[in-house]
Amino acid sequence: MLQKNIYADAFHFIDKKRDLLFISLIIFLGIICGSITPVLYGRLIDTLTAKEITTFYWTLRIFALITIISIILNFGEEYLSQYICNKYIACHQKILIKKLLFIPFSEIEELSTGYMISNLTSDITTVITFDIRLISSVFITIVNFLFSLLFMFNIHVYMALLALIFFPISFFLSFLFKKWKKSVYKNAAEAEDHFYSCVNHCLNFLIEIKGLNQQNSICNSFNPVVTNVKNADNRKTITDYTISFTDNLVQNIFSFFIISFAAHYIFKGTLSIGVLLSFNIYTARLFSSISTIKELQLAKQPLRIALDRIRYLTTFQFNGKRHCLADEGHFSSINIRNIHFQYKNNIEILKGLSLEIKAPGFYSIIGKNGCGKTTLLKLIDSIYKPQQGSIFLDDFDYENFCEDDIRTQITFVTKNCFIVHDTLLENIKMYHSNTLIEVQQVCKLVGFDNYIQRLPDGLNTVINPENNDFSSGMKQRLNVARILLNPSPIILLDEITSDLDGGAERLLISNLVKLGEKSIIISISHRLEAVRNSKQIYLLDEGKIIESGTFSSMQKNSKEFRELFVYK
């Protein structure tokens, strides 16, 4: 289907056809002016040779005027084409980013970062650039082709027929190169994906790399990646230049034949030098038109690759809400019934796990590393879907709602803190409509107020996600401030106090426990403070909840619990 509908798929990205019509009008006017100039140029040569001074200067003035108009129109067409191209690239980058954020995580988790970056940069640029180029090139090519043929046959029929032989030969060469170019460009795109992924990985773990003194080893591992990109780009260059060289070689061979053929008529006195020059200009435009058609055919190969790579993002449709959970009021229970889940490595993580929480409170899930605690929270937050079993909020089955609707009732917070490039105030509010007094009260609750007082602009200080002086502990305070300011009915916490000192942790946990009077808070933690204050503790092992109870009962009756917290 991609092969048959490639142009339809490509032009799906251009929704305002008036932009293209405006470009087409400028191109048409430019072609009209450009089609007259070869005749005038030939006329100039003939009047100069014949020493017709008056006619020569009149012709020269007209030629100069039309040439200037043609240059202005050509510049306008190129500028407008690039402007429209940039506009649509930016527009669709916004659309693709939004789709990328809303696509279910389980469906894109295997895509590399480099692949997704390429989708948003080089792939979408390839498609939009092809669209704009196709509009301008096809219009120019068709009109130039027809005008050139008209004038060439008007000048000399036999020479025009000789020039037309170039057409099938050129397309035959294009057919020979087509598969080669597609293969080369596909390999280059994959090499670029890997490069972006490696760069992103290095930047994300820059401190860790320095901490382990692994700069040299990372550089060494990065060298073959860069070399692979370089070799792929070189193969692209060789491919493009080989095609261009072959095309130019064949074109010049035909030009030599035409000049030799024309010389015969010039020697006989039936063809003037000026007319020959005019014919050669039209011949060059005819060859250029044929080359453009061929280039567009070859450009379909990288276009196919780009369309295929972004096909999932472009065809993704946002889920409509089948039923609005927000209309059902405040939820007070969660029921997980016999869920099974495995990742794509076919290792089953959760094996018939059941868990029911019937009232608000602060609850803890504990267990050894890798037992499935975080996976369970991701299932509750609908990041993943279980292969078997069901999850209910009160009596509402997850299966009847889209994941975005489910998340209107759930807040899932990890130890990592997401920071936006905005004021500290907005980073705490996260664009909710809280008042300044509410924000200040929450900041005081989490011990954030002293830090804010030291900032030059207080809460209005702009925070840079890439460069700020937030410690890991301060970021976790920020996470808790967000939870307290805008609590959800269900709150999922994954090691959110892991980087705090004892006093700070006790302060935040006490606030979360108090919040548990209204919300169901499910916490994963290896810290004793969080577990000690839990209303109920659930011990997860071998993919199931094997024990549950209060802190005192678990401490007394559970050997596994004591082993997990024996060092404390």
Side-chain angles (χ1 to χ4, degrees):
M1 184 171 290
L2 185 63
Q3 300 269 345
K4 295 179 180 178
N5 299 323
I6 185 169
Y7 293 117
D9 289 342
F11 275 99
H12 170 72
F13 292 86
I14 306 293
D15 53 357
K16 294 184 179 178
K17 305 301 188 255
R18 65 184 179 188
D19 291 335
L20 304 182
L21 289 174
F22 191 47
I23 292 177
S24 301
L25 177 61
I26 294 177
I27 292 171
F28 181 75
L29 294 174
I31 290 172
I32 296 297
C33 293
S35 298
I36 299 171
T37 51
V39 175
L40 293 173
Y41 185 73
R43 180 65 176 159
L44 274 176
I45 299 300
D46 285 340
T47 54
L48 181 63
T49 305
K51 298 181 180 180
E52 297 174 3
I53 298 174
T54 303
T55 306
F56 172 79
Y57 282 110
W58 271 108
T59 308
L60 181 61
R61 291 187 188 100
I62 297 171
F63 177 78
L65 177 62
I66 293 177
T67 300
I68 291 171
I69 293 173
S70 181
I71 290 171
I72 293 172
L73 289 170
N74 286 338
F75 174 79
E77 181 267 322
E78 289 178 4
Y79 173 79
L80 187 60
S81 294
Q82 190 59 53
Y83 175 82
I84 293 173
C85 187
N86 293 340
K87 181 178 78 170
Y88 278 106
I89 288 172
C91 174
H92 285 285
Q93 282 176 333
K94 293 176 185 177
I95 294 171
L96 291 181
I97 288 173
K98 183 177 181 181
K99 289 189 173 185
L100 190 62
L101 292 173
F102 278 90
I103 287 176
F105 179 76
S106 58
E107 297 185 28
I108 61 168
E109 64 177 328
E110 290 190 346
L111 299 180
S112 68
T113 305
Y115 184 91
M116 289 185 280
I117 291 173
S118 293
N119 275 189
L120 297 169
T121 53
S122 56
D123 290 335
I124 192 64
T125 299
T126 297
V127 176
I128 300 296
T129 303
F130 181 87
D131 288 344
I132 302 299
R133 185 187 173 199
L134 184 64
I135 287 293
S136 58
S137 297
V138 166
F139 198 69
I140 292 172
T141 300
I142 291 173
V143 178
N144 264 341
F145 187 82
L146 295 176
F147 270 79
S148 297
L149 276 181
L150 177 65
F151 282 105
M152 286 167 65
F153 274 100
N154 187 53
I155 292 170
H156 204 285
V157 174
Y158 293 122
M159 289 199 304
L161 289 172
L162 178 61
L164 276 177
I165 298 174
F166 175 73
F167 192 85
I169 294 176
S170 181
F171 271 87
F172 175 72
L173 292 173
S174 173
F175 176 78
L176 293 179
F177 287 122
K178 185 169 65 174
K179 287 186 178 180
W180 179 33
K181 183 165 185 173
K182 182 179 179 180
S183 173
V184 168
Y185 270 73
K186 183 178 180 181
N187 291 335
E190 291 171 353
E192 190 178 67
D193 290 348
H194 189 41
F195 172 80
Y196 283 141
S197 293
C198 290
V199 171
N200 181 71
H201 183 72
C202 287
L203 294 178
N204 284 340
F205 294 95
L206 197 57
I207 293 175
E208 289 77 7
I209 291 170
K210 289 177 179 292
L212 294 171
N213 197 26
Q214 292 299 303
Q215 294 96 317
N216 288 329
S217 61
I218 295 299
C219 286
N220 292 334
S221 67
F222 201 65
N223 287 337
V225 177
V226 176
T227 301
N228 192 29
V229 173
K230 180 197 72 174
N231 292 338
D233 287 339
N234 285 340
R235 285 190 289 271
K236 282 172 62 177
T237 302
I238 291 170
T239 303
D240 291 337
Y241 276 91
T242 300
I243 294 170
S244 179
F245 171 79
T246 306
D247 187 58
N248 286 330
L249 179 63
V250 174
Q251 184 175 319
N252 279 287
I253 289 173
F254 270 90
S255 296
F256 295 148
F257 275 115
I258 290 170
I259 291 172
S260 300
F261 196 72
H264 172 72
Y265 292 101
I266 291 174
F267 293 147
K268 287 175 62 176
T270 57
L271 189 69
S272 69
I273 298 294
V275 171
L276 174 60
L277 288 173
S278 297
F279 186 89
N280 280 342
I281 293 172
Y282 285 120
T283 302
R285 291 187 178 182
L286 177 70
F287 288 170
S288 176
S289 299
I290 295 170
S291 295
T292 300
I293 295 171
K294 188 182 75 170
E295 287 170 7
L296 288 172
Q297 286 291 319
L298 291 171
K300 285 167 59 178
Q301 309 316 314
L303 175 66
R304 283 193 178 101
I305 295 167
L307 284 172
D308 188 49
R309 285 160 58 85
I310 63 176
R311 184 172 65 243
Y312 183 78
L313 280 181
T314 55
T315 55
F316 171 74
Q317 298 294 323
F318 295 106
N319 282 324
K321 292 183 179 180
R322 290 165 282 182
H323 186 74
C324 188
L325 275 171
D327 297 336
E328 301 301 332
H330 197 89
F331 291 91
S332 59
S333 70
I334 183 167
N335 191 352
I336 301 168
R337 301 177 184 175
N338 193 35
I339 59 170
H340 292 255
F341 179 80
Q342 64 182 27
Y343 291 102
K344 293 185 179 179
N345 58 9
N346 295 323
I347 297 176
E348 193 170 29
I349 305 298
L350 301 179
K351 308 171 183 178
L353 182 145
S354 294
L355 171 64
E356 186 174 10
I357 297 176
K358 298 181 179 180
F362 186 87
Y363 301 87
S364 287
I365 296 177
I366 62 172
K368 297 176 182 177
N369 292 330
C371 68
K373 302 185 297 295
T374 299
T375 299
L376 177 58
L377 295 195
K378 288 179 179 179
L379 287 166
I380 296 173
D381 196 43
S382 199
I383 292 174
Y384 296 119
K385 294 185 182 298
Q387 281 88 26
Q388 295 180 41
S390 303
I391 303 176
F392 291 82
L393 289 181
D394 287 354
D395 295 324
F396 298 96
D397 191 342
Y398 270 32
E399 286 299 315
N400 296 324
F401 305 92
C402 66
E403 58 269 15
D404 297 321
D405 196 19
I406 292 170
R407 293 193 192 109
T408 62
Q409 305 300 308
I410 297 175
T411 297
F412 180 25
V413 182
T414 69
K415 66 181 294 184
N416 299 317
C417 181
F418 173 67
I419 295 176
V420 295
H421 196 155
D422 207 328
T423 63
L424 178 57
L425 178 64
E426 291 301 340
N427 269 283
I428 297 171
K429 289 166 51 179
M430 292 309 290
Y431 305 103
H432 289 88
S433 58
N434 306 96
T435 65
L436 180 60
I437 293 176
E438 289 174 331
V439 174
Q440 290 171 337
Q441 289 173 342
V442 164
C443 289
K444 190 172 183 178
L445 285 175
V446 300
F448 216 32
D449 50 336
N450 290 333
Y451 172 78
I452 294 170
Q453 290 173 6
R454 296 196 301 269
L455 296 174
D457 297 314
L459 284 169
N460 292 317
T461 303
V462 175
I463 307 299
N464 187 339
E466 303 296 333
N467 183 22
N468 58 71
D469 61 351
F470 277 12
S471 66
S472 57
M474 292 299 287
K475 290 177 181 178
Q476 292 190 337
R477 288 176 190 261
L478 176 58
N479 270 337
V480 176
R482 291 169 176 171
I483 296 168
L484 297 176
L485 190 61
N486 294 290
S488 300
I490 311 293
I491 298 171
L492 310 175
L493 309 177
D494 190 357
E495 298 281 6
I496 69 160
T497 61
S498 59
D499 296 335
L500 294 171
D501 59 67
E505 184 182 24
R506 282 190 293 274
L507 174 65
L508 298 189
I509 291 298
S510 66
N511 282 293
L512 290 171
V513 170
K514 186 175 180 180
L515 180 62
E517 295 173 4
K518 297 179 180 179
S519 299
I520 294 175
I521 302 176
I522 303 175
S523 169
I524 293 174
S525 180
H526 292 94
R527 305 281 291 261
L528 190 59
E529 186 66 33
V531 177
R532 189 198 309 274
N533 289 275
S534 300
K535 184 175 183 179
Q536 192 82 353
I537 301 167
Y538 300 94
L539 177 60
L540 179 58
D541 191 36
E542 297 294 330
K544 294 182 179 181
I545 301 295
I546 60 170
E547 289 185 78
S548 65
T550 63
F551 179 80
S552 57
S553 67
M554 293 287 284
Q555 192 177 38
K556 180 180 180 180
N557 302 319
S558 174
K559 176 183 176 182
E560 289 81 0
F561 178 85
R562 290 194 297 273
E563 288 176 350
L564 284 171
F565 295 98
V566 65
Y567 64 94
K568 299 182 177 67

